[in-house]
Amino acid sequence: MTWVRSASDKSITVRCTRERLRALVNDVTGCGRLMPGVESLERVAEAADGTDTRGVYHYRLATVSNGAVTFTPEYEARFDTSDPDAITWEPHGEHNFRSWGTFHIEDGAAEGEQRLRIETRTEASVDVAPVVVVLIEPFAQKETDEVTEGFLEAVREAVEQERAGVS
């Protein structure tokens, strides 16, 4: 198994109150299900080995394939929501996928606007020879950017539709 790495840093302007955006992003399962490709997401209730699972969530993502590699990411991440403007996550346990990142909530350019930025890096354990990683990483980077951009757009749509009274 070889680790394929990618990273993304994308942002979007959202028209809503800071409190509403914070509430959505702090709802780890509700917000997380807006991410493209999430098939299941749930809070880990307790670990069989007795380790602390506060803030830990289990993800299963849709299978991705580029013709050479087919991969179904499954992983756990621990979230820290103690800073309402910088919600962070990091890998928890050993899985075939790892994700680190931060949601940054910043002032927008105009009143009633917020800037939501997602900074993330990922590693996927795939069954390929290390020599082909240089061929696979551009695909992984493209996927990471597309998922991040789609996630940001889905968050914006969710908070702006709620603001407009659309359910």
Side-chain angles (χ1 to χ4, degrees):
M1 298 302 248
T2 302
W3 290 99
V4 175
R5 295 169 174 82
S6 62
S8 189
D9 190 340
K10 305 284 183 185
S11 64
I12 197 167
T13 298
V14 181
R15 287 181 294 281
C16 69
T17 65
R18 195 176 201 95
E19 292 73 27
R20 174 59 196 128
L21 186 55
R22 284 177 180 158
L24 178 65
V25 173
N26 274 296
D27 175 6
V28 175
T29 54
C31 184
R33 289 183 179 128
L34 296 173
M35 184 174 71
V38 171
E39 290 189 344
S40 68
L41 168 58
E42 55 194 27
R43 190 175 70 79
V44 175
E46 59 184 64
D49 64 2
T51 58
D52 181 12
T53 60
R54 284 177 292 181
V56 176
Y57 295 81
H58 180 263
Y59 287 78
R60 181 175 174 84
L61 306 181
T63 299
V64 293
S65 178
N66 69 356
V69 174
T70 299
F71 177 70
T72 304
E74 190 159 352
Y75 66 102
E76 291 180 357
R78 179 181 301 277
F79 281 75
D80 179 353
T81 60
S82 60
D83 180 343
D85 290 332
I87 292 86
T88 62
W89 66 92
E90 62 184 19
H92 178 264
E94 294 297 320
H95 302 278
N96 70 355
F97 189 81
R98 300 188 282 219
S99 176
W100 297 259
T102 304
F103 288 110
H104 298 279
I105 300 173
E106 305 162 347
D107 292 333
E111 188 174 331
E113 290 183 350
Q114 311 305 315
R115 193 93 184 131
L116 177 61
R117 182 166 62 99
I118 301 176
E119 173 186 12
T120 185
R121 69 183 170 93
T122 62
E123 297 178 350
S125 179
V126 295
D127 190 15
V128 297
V131 69
V132 299
V133 168
V134 295
L135 301 173
I136 296 169
E137 282 186 336
F139 171 77
Q141 183 61 56
K142 181 178 181 285
E143 281 288 314
T144 298
D145 286 340
E146 288 174 358
V147 166
T148 303
E149 290 166 354
F151 193 16
L152 286 167
E153 187 59 41
V155 168
R156 176 170 61 189
E157 287 176 10
V159 294
E160 289 183 0
Q161 284 179 356
E162 180 179 287
R163 180 177 174 222
V166 178
S167 296

